[in-house]
Structure formats: structure tokens, C-alpha cells
Amino acid sequence: MSIEHDGKTLTMQQAKKYLEMPDRETRKIVYEKMVTRRLVDADKLDELLTELIKLRNTIAMNAGYPTFIEYTWDSYERFDYTQEDVLAFHRGVKEFMVPLVQQIFEEKKHKLKLDTIKPYDEEATEE
């Protein structure tokens, strides 16, 4: 996937660098081009993911597991923590990390002197 910007063809990784620039308008333009480009392939990617999920479920069932998660868990030979431990970790992220990230975005909003933080502002440097 690529976009055109400033007369250049940029890969998504190259375009992402523009999201770090101080100029908000440039960030917005590049971000919108990136989103628009991803939407071109959205249906195809959805189809591929749906097919992947079906294949993974078939693999798990053929191996005698009710879900791909349980199949994968055993294939990785996890013994040092349980699936319940993973769920507890997810709850901890939601409880402690999400508020921390929100606080970081609030600080960034004030640093950049913005009323709201948009997705194209997340990696921005100060203007």
C-alpha cells in the first residue's frame, strides 16, 4: 500500500513519518490519505481475515480443541501462566494503563495547544 504526497509515492511506513511533523495541516492531509488508501482494500482484507478465522477454527477442531485459542495455548506449551492470568492482565491494562494513556494525551493536547487530540496528532512533535 502506498500514497502520493508532495509528488512522491510513499509506503505507509514512510507516510507515517509525516504524522510526527509539527505542522498539523500536513499531518491531517497525510493521515486522511492513509485512511482513504486503507479503505480501498478494506473489503478484501475483511474477507481474508474471515477466511483465516475459519481456517484456524478448522485446525483447532481437527486437533480436538473447541477453539483456536485453546489449540494455540497448548501448542505454545504455556505452563508459567494460565489463560485466566492473561485475562487478569487485560483487566489491569484497562484499569491502569488506559487512564495513563488518556492522561498522556491530555498533556500532549496542552503541549501542542490544541482543543482536541485527533489521531493525526498522536505522534506529533511540538509546533
Side-chain angles (χ1 to χ4, degrees):
M1 274 189 224
S2 62
I3 65 166
E4 297 292 324
H5 184 70
D6 279 345
K8 299 179 207 162
T9 300
L10 304 170
T11 65
M12 295 304 231
Q13 194 62 29
Q14 291 169 325
K16 192 171 188 260
K17 286 291 188 187
Y18 284 79
L19 303 181
E20 299 173 10
M21 293 185 160
D23 181 56
R24 193 175 199 208
E25 189 59 28
T26 299
R27 293 193 312 264
K28 181 180 179 186
I29 289 167
V30 170
Y31 177 82
E32 288 173 351
K33 287 179 180 182
M34 292 171 72
V35 169
T36 300
R37 177 58 187 94
R38 285 185 180 119
L39 287 174
V40 170
D41 292 326
D43 290 342
K44 182 64 178 166
L45 292 172
D46 285 346
E47 289 172 23
L48 288 171
L49 183 57
T50 299
E51 184 61 28
L52 177 63
I53 291 168
K54 288 178 187 174
L55 289 171
R56 286 180 167 182
N57 283 331
T58 300
I59 290 168
M61 288 185 191
N62 288 344
Y65 291 86
T67 67
F68 186 75
I69 292 171
E70 292 177 37
Y71 166 79
T72 303
W73 194 267
D74 281 354
S75 72
Y76 288 153
E77 299 179 356
R78 297 285 188 222
F79 61 87
D80 48 347
Y81 54 92
T82 66
Q83 291 182 42
E84 290 77 26
D85 293 333
V86 174
L87 293 173
F89 175 76
H90 288 204
R91 287 189 297 274
V93 167
K94 183 177 180 181
E95 184 177 346
F96 298 104
M97 295 305 294
V98 170
L100 179 61
V101 170
Q102 290 171 333
Q103 179 184 345
I104 290 168
F105 282 154
E106 276 298 310
E107 291 171 7
K108 181 165 216 89
K109 180 174 80 171
H110 292 296
K111 219 181 239 188
L112 294 174
K113 299 177 180 93
L114 301 172
D115 292 331
T116 59
I117 289 282
K118 300 289 185 181
Y120 47 83
D121 297 320
E122 293 175 7
E123 302 298 323
T125 57
E126 294 181 49
E127 293 190 34

